[in-house]
């Protein structure tokens, strides 16, 4: 297998890790005004992702860095053509991260309320825009013969791309609700499980529509099999939700997102950014790649450090595996005026 193909697969794995892990982070933030009815419950929800959200974002940083190093032409065209949506995602992630850190620095209702809004908005914006961006990448965008993006912002907002944004938002909402039911106990757990069942039905319908459209537009046998697997995993997760088996339900939504993203990359290959112009030129794993020497060095570095990162992140999830309840929230985090 050529190193260009190896690195395309590795970048796909990084994005799979990001969407499956950061996906439930986004879901929890998006559900904050729905599942949390007072300050104590808001703190419970935030604490479910408190130890892991920043580690989950590392997958995005590594995916971006790997794309820059392995496929510089892809990186350059992507960040020039998708400048505005990627800037909005970046700003949302920054605001969201600051909100997690600063929310507990004050005790006033107004103070915490403003940071709660930042968490909610900072979760919704990337949850939607990542779906729009990936749908555009798979479908194709206007790329000229010299590899430059020649479209505008509104070229990215066609029906297929908007359906992609709706798909990721609903999947992350369902994934987040399942995660909350897995990580909490008491009334929040039961409410999150009931909400996951309702959201999951809607998410399943929209996801099947998006994956079917993708398959008809640019899929092949391999991507079709992955899309079917994603749909089966999502349905199995919803069945587990109904049976109050939160662990299996989380595995179902996790695998559904993973197989769905994998299918998108398979449908995209060997392109990395196809063009929609008759006289344009698509970027492929060959013409967008770095030099062979660069890819060799990167492969050695990845082989050494990737297992270490995976071991550390697995250990952190194991350490913070227990459920959280309102009884675990100290009194100073729940002032009476916040109710």
């Amino acid at each position: 297998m050529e190193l260009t193909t190896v690195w395309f697969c590795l970048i796909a794995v990084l994005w799979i890790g990001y969407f499956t892990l950061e996906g439930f982070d986004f879901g929890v933030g998006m559900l904050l005004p729905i599942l949390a009815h007072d300050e104590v419950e808001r703190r419970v929800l935030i604490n479910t992702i408190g130890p892991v959200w920043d580690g989950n974002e590392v997958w995005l940083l590594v995916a971006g860095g790997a794309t820059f190093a392995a496929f510089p032409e892809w990186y350059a065209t992507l960040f020039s053509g998708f400048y505005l949506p990627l800037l909005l995602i970046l700003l949302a992630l920054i605001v969201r991260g600051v909100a997690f850190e600063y929310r507990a620095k004050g005790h006033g209702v107004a103070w915490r309320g403003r940071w709660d809004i930042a968490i909610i908005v900072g979760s919704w914006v990337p949850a939607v825009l990542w779906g729009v961006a990936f749908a555009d990448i798979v479908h194709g965008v206007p790329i000229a013969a010299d590899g430059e993006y020649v479209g505008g912002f509104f070229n990215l907002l066609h029906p297929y791309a908007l359906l992609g944004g709706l798909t990721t938002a609903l999947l992350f909402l369902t994934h987040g609700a399942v995660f909350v039911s897995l990580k909490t106990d008491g009334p929040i757990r039961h409410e999150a499980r009931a909400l996951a069942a309702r959201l999951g039905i809607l998410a399943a319908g929209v996801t099947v529509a998006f994956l079917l459209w993708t398959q008809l537009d640019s899929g092949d046998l391999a991507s079709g099999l992955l899309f079917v697997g994603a749909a089966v995993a999502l349905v199995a997760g919803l069945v587990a939700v109904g049976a109050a088996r939160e662990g299996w339900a989380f595995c179902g939504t996790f695998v559904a997102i993973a197989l769905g993203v994998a299918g998108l990359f398979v449908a995209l290959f060997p392109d990395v950014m196809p063009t929609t112009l008759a006289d344009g030129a698509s970027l492929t794993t060959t013409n967008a790649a770095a030099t062979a020497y660069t890819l060799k060095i990167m492969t050695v570095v990845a082989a050494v450090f990737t297992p270490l990162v995976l071991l550390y992140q697995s250990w952190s999830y194991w350490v913070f595996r227990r459920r959280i309840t309102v009884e675990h929230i100290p009194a100073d985090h729940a002032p009476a005026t916040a109710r």
Side-chain angles (χ1 to χ4, degrees):
M1 182 183 295
E2 296 182 358
L3 285 180
T4 53
T5 304
V6 169
W7 273 98
F8 179 86
C9 294
L10 289 176
I11 290 172
V13 169
L14 291 171
W15 280 108
I16 290 171
Y18 177 66
F19 282 129
T20 52
L21 296 176
E22 189 82 320
F24 68 75
D25 278 0
F26 290 147
V28 173
M30 295 155 74
L31 292 170
L32 191 62
I34 300 173
L35 292 177
H37 307 294
D38 56 33
E39 173 58 26
V40 177
E41 293 184 347
R42 283 190 287 272
R43 189 63 188 173
V44 168
L45 259 65
I46 293 173
N47 282 1
T48 61
I49 59 175
V52 297
W53 70 267
D54 50 354
N56 293 342
E57 287 192 351
V58 171
W59 290 83
L60 173 62
L61 299 176
V62 178
T67 303
F68 172 77
F71 300 101
E73 292 292 334
W74 183 13
Y75 182 92
T77 302
L78 178 65
F79 276 78
S80 60
F82 290 46
Y83 179 80
L84 182 55
L86 291 178
L87 177 62
L88 291 175
I89 291 173
L90 177 61
L91 292 176
L93 293 177
I94 292 173
V95 170
R96 180 173 173 267
V98 171
F100 282 133
E101 297 296 335
Y102 276 83
R103 185 184 187 278
K105 303 298 183 182
H107 295 285
V109 175
W111 172 271
R112 292 185 173 182
R114 285 191 292 267
W115 291 121
D116 287 343
I117 293 173
I119 293 173
I120 296 165
V121 175
S123 299
W124 271 100
V125 170
V128 173
L129 290 184
W130 279 131
V132 173
F134 266 81
D136 276 311
I137 291 173
V138 175
H139 175 73
V141 292
I143 301 176
D146 58 359
E148 293 293 327
Y149 176 81
V150 293
F153 173 72
F154 291 101
N155 290 103
L156 306 176
L157 301 179
H158 48 86
Y160 174 72
L162 295 176
L163 180 61
L166 180 61
T167 300
T168 52
L170 289 173
L171 280 176
F172 293 165
L173 278 169
T174 305
H175 199 34
V178 171
F179 180 76
V180 171
S181 69
L182 176 65
K183 283 289 295 177
T184 62
D185 209 348
I188 299 179
R189 174 187 179 185
H190 301 301
E191 187 175 350
R193 191 169 64 223
L195 182 60
R198 296 194 299 270
L199 286 171
I201 295 174
L202 182 58
V206 173
T207 300
V208 168
F210 175 70
L211 295 182
L212 180 60
W213 192 340
T214 303
Q215 182 65 20
L216 294 175
D217 184 47
S218 55
D220 55 17
L221 178 60
S223 64
L225 292 175
L226 288 169
F227 291 155
V228 170
V232 171
L234 184 55
V235 172
L238 296 180
V239 172
V241 168
R245 301 294 298 271
E246 290 98 348
W248 286 110
F250 184 76
C251 289
T253 55
F254 187 100
V255 172
I257 295 173
L259 292 180
V261 176
L264 292 179
F265 274 92
V266 170
L268 180 63
F269 185 81
D271 293 335
V272 292
M273 284 193 76
T275 183
T276 57
L277 301 179
D279 57 348
S282 297
L283 298 181
T284 68
T285 55
T286 302
N287 64 21
T291 64
Y293 182 74
T294 300
L295 295 178
K296 289 179 182 178
I297 297 298
M298 290 175 59
T299 303
V300 173
V301 173
V304 173
F305 288 101
T306 300
L308 298 177
V309 174
L310 292 175
L311 285 173
Y312 174 77
Q313 191 158 26
S314 299
W315 173 80
S316 66
Y317 274 93
W318 175 256
V319 170
F320 296 103
R321 67 189 183 278
R322 299 189 182 278
R323 294 181 183 270
I324 302 172
T325 66
V326 294
E327 286 77 18
H328 294 131
I329 305 301
D332 61 342
H333 284 297
T337 56
R339 294 183 181 275

